[in-house]
Amino acid sequence: MKYWDEHMECMDRNNLQEIQFKRLVETIKRVYTNVPYYRKKMQERGIIPEGIKSLDDLRKLPFTTKQDLRDNYPYGLFAVPLSEIVRIHASSGTTGKPTVVGYTKHDIGIWSEVMARTLVAAGADKHSFVQIAYGYGLFTGGLGVHYGAERIGASVIPISSGNTRRQIQIMVDFGTTVLACTPSYALYLAETMEEMGIDKSQLKLKSGVFGAEPWSENMRKEIETKLNIKAYDIYGLSEIIGPGVSFECEYQCGMHINEDHFLPEIINPETGEVLGEGEYGELVFTTITKEGLPLIRYRTRDITALHYDRCRCGRTLVRMEKVIGRTDDMIIIRGVNVFPSQIESVLLEMGEVEPHYQLIVDRVNNLDVLEVLVEVSERMFSDEVKKLEQLEKKITKAIEETLGISVKVRLVEPKTIERSEGKAKRVIDKRKI
């Protein structure tokens, strides 16, 4: 099986655009009628749904940002009554407020469908055993892949993340053929296998779908060699749906966007101007089939370029290149979104440290690690070592509770973190991606 939905995935572009326009107009009517926030924004611009006459008119509509979701926390942007929301997910927020995402039964169906396309493109079918080592819970990764795998009739192994040796044992015993996790965790699994004396020939693995963090072509080669699989890149974000927004095919020349559901644009992040094919800029999505949380021109902050030529695989769905960077200060560590401002707010609450800090991100043994350097006050630094150790533990606990991932905190003496006249260099990313 090469496609899950050949009709949609290989559709003539003119026909696809007709479907996109019809769905776009329906979505704009829905948000104008049901979401006061969007109605107000559109009225301020003198826009009514009937004024949208073509796909090009999309650029007349206002942008939506992560901040807009926070300002309307938790349910202010939902377009249906809460009685119709069957699932709520959330992604991490800068100041403790997460970004809340609601799904109707229809939305869960769409999510299953786009993930079915993603998995089939990676070689999965009803005979596959899909081991899902993404986190389950409020994070969209685990359940997103889970529903797609069930949709194609595959056997799902919902193991979630962590417990690495058990993961490997289950891979061997259960005959896992498709692995779904972050790319760095895939490499960690490979290394742990070596430690356990398990050879890749003992596995039945054929492919892997890896996402939730940036990774390089070199890392892909390493994963493919060490696990003897084909490694596929997938892209998604909770606000749009979760995993399944775009996926690689066997030719691995960009990720096909499921654009019958998610309408992409590339803009100049400074001016908001729409850029042409092949130009690098910020990726923007408008959801055109979602009911619970339809978003208009959502700014992802991810930098990429789009290519519209037909792929060798036969799909006509537009391809996005690997994300090459972000326009904000967010960093992704082990699939978790981390903002320096989250750490800043924790430190400011402490009071015993200076507001000077630095985040050092590195990849050790193929896993992302975060070290936080924190300057202590002159008074604290002259205190006994025991007090400093207690403070270090206290800060570590507070930051880990806020971020939901483990961190290493290192207290440093006053004035050791480099000062800057411009924007403070809060993050040093040593990962070779």
Side-chain angles (χ1 to χ4, degrees):
M1 188 161 63
K2 193 175 178 183
Y3 313 106
W4 173 248
D5 182 354
E6 185 172 355
H7 174 66
M8 286 307 309
E9 293 175 57
C10 304
M11 185 178 281
D12 168 78
R13 181 144 289 277
N14 289 336
N15 293 343
L16 177 60
Q17 287 177 337
E18 277 180 33
I19 290 171
Q20 288 174 328
F21 177 64
K22 182 172 173 280
R23 290 176 172 180
L24 173 65
V25 170
E26 284 168 2
T27 297
I28 292 164
K29 281 179 183 167
R30 188 182 305 129
V31 298
Y32 191 87
T33 308
N34 299 330
V35 186
Y37 169 79
Y38 275 125
R39 185 163 58 248
K40 183 171 177 282
K41 275 187 102 166
M42 286 166 71
Q43 284 172 344
E44 283 168 1
R45 289 181 169 221
I47 299 166
I48 55 169
E50 293 72 25
I52 303 301
K53 304 290 187 190
S54 71
L55 284 174
D56 286 339
D57 287 342
L58 181 60
R59 61 188 68 192
K60 294 179 184 174
L61 295 164
F63 291 113
T64 310
T65 65
K66 206 181 222 331
Q67 192 57 46
D68 294 326
L69 272 83
R70 289 199 194 101
D71 293 345
N72 290 278
Y73 175 89
Y75 308 135
L77 292 183
F78 285 13
V80 297
L82 286 174
S83 58
E84 288 182 35
I85 296 291
V86 299
R87 175 95 63 77
I88 293 171
H89 281 284
S91 68
S92 52
T94 53
T95 52
K97 269 192 182 177
T99 305
V100 181
V101 191
Y103 300 78
T104 64
K105 194 173 180 182
H106 164 84
D107 296 337
I108 296 288
I110 287 169
W111 198 7
S112 307
E113 196 64 21
V114 294
M115 273 312 302
R117 293 180 192 178
T118 300
L119 289 164
V120 167
D125 59 23
K126 66 178 184 181
H127 304 292
S128 300
F129 285 76
V130 182
Q131 184 159 328
I132 303 169
Y134 282 115
Y136 279 68
L138 288 177
F139 175 63
T140 52
L143 282 164
V145 181
H146 184 115
Y147 275 72
E150 284 189 342
R151 176 65 65 103
I152 66 171
S155 302
V156 180
I157 305 168
I159 193 165
S160 195
S161 52
N163 209 336
T164 307
R165 286 176 176 257
R166 184 163 167 258
Q167 295 261 7
I168 292 159
Q169 199 57 58
I170 279 179
M171 256 190 251
V172 174
D173 296 347
F174 291 16
T176 304
T177 56
V178 179
L179 173 65
C181 63
T182 62
S184 54
Y185 191 60
L187 276 182
Y188 186 59
L189 283 166
E191 285 185 355
T192 309
M193 270 168 55
E194 282 176 38
E195 287 170 19
M196 291 169 73
I198 291 174
D199 188 74
K200 59 188 177 186
S201 63
Q202 292 173 253
L203 301 178
K204 290 183 179 173
L205 274 184
K206 293 174 182 170
S207 64
V209 285
F210 306 119
E213 67 187 8
W215 54 307
S216 63
E217 283 303 318
N218 286 342
M219 196 168 177
R220 187 206 301 272
K221 289 190 187 93
E222 206 178 331
I223 291 169
E224 291 186 335
T225 304
K226 288 188 170 175
L227 290 175
N228 195 27
I229 60 171
K230 188 153 179 155
Y232 292 84
D233 199 355
I234 64 170
Y235 173 87
L237 57 164
S238 301
E239 299 91 320
I240 300 304
I241 198 133
V245 174
S246 68
F247 61 91
E248 276 188 329
C249 63
E250 70 265 36
Y251 292 100
Q252 299 179 321
C253 53
M255 288 173 278
H256 292 281
I257 296 172
N258 285 303
E259 55 175 323
D260 51 325
H261 298 289
F262 319 113
L263 206 51
E265 301 171 272
I266 296 288
I267 63 163
N268 178 321
E270 305 294 324
T271 65
E273 169 208 1
V274 177
L275 302 177
E277 179 175 359
E279 290 187 80
Y280 284 95
E282 182 181 344
L283 181 60
V284 171
F285 280 112
T286 299
T287 64
I288 53 175
T289 52
K290 272 177 74 184
E291 294 177 342
L293 182 70
L295 292 180
I296 306 295
R297 303 193 82 198
Y298 183 75
R299 296 185 63 158
T300 67
R301 303 292 181 194
D302 288 328
I303 302 293
T304 185
L306 300 178
H307 299 283
Y308 284 89
D309 54 310
R310 183 187 280 266
C311 182
R312 282 181 289 163
C313 71
R315 289 178 181 85
T316 50
L317 297 173
V318 62
R319 301 186 316 282
M320 61 178 273
E321 291 187 19
K322 261 186 184 295
V323 171
I324 58 166
R326 290 187 57 83
T327 63
D328 62 10
D329 60 358
M330 187 180 94
I331 46 177
I332 300 177
I333 297 164
R334 300 197 290 279
V336 175
N337 299 346
V338 173
F339 295 82
S341 49
Q342 284 174 295
I343 288 164
E344 186 166 291
S345 59
V346 169
L347 297 177
L348 290 172
E349 280 170 27
M350 290 282 173
E352 297 149 300
V353 291
E354 298 294 322
H356 299 295
Y357 64 95
Q358 202 162 51
L359 313 186
I360 298 171
V361 190
D362 208 346
R363 202 159 264 172
V364 178
N365 295 330
N366 294 310
L367 277 187
D368 293 341
V369 290
L370 173 62
E371 184 177 32
V372 184
L373 305 188
V374 185
E375 271 188 22
V376 290
S377 60
E378 292 276 5
R379 182 182 56 79
M380 273 303 293
F381 202 77
S382 56
D383 270 351
E384 65 216 64
V385 174
K386 195 177 176 190
K387 275 192 181 170
L388 287 174
E389 284 174 352
Q390 285 170 344
L391 178 62
E392 203 164 76
K393 279 181 185 164
K394 188 176 161 189
I395 295 170
T396 303
K397 186 169 183 282
I399 292 175
E400 286 181 346
E401 280 174 357
T402 301
L403 300 182
I405 56 169
S406 57
V407 299
K408 181 178 189 295
V409 171
R410 185 152 55 95
L411 299 181
V412 295
E413 60 187 278
K415 314 235 176 359
T416 46
I417 292 172
E418 194 179 317
R419 303 293 191 262
S420 165
E421 287 176 14
K423 195 175 177 187
K425 180 123 176 83
R426 296 293 192 205
V427 180
I428 296 172
D429 197 336
K430 295 178 171 178
R431 292 176 293 186
K432 299 284 184 286
I433 292 168

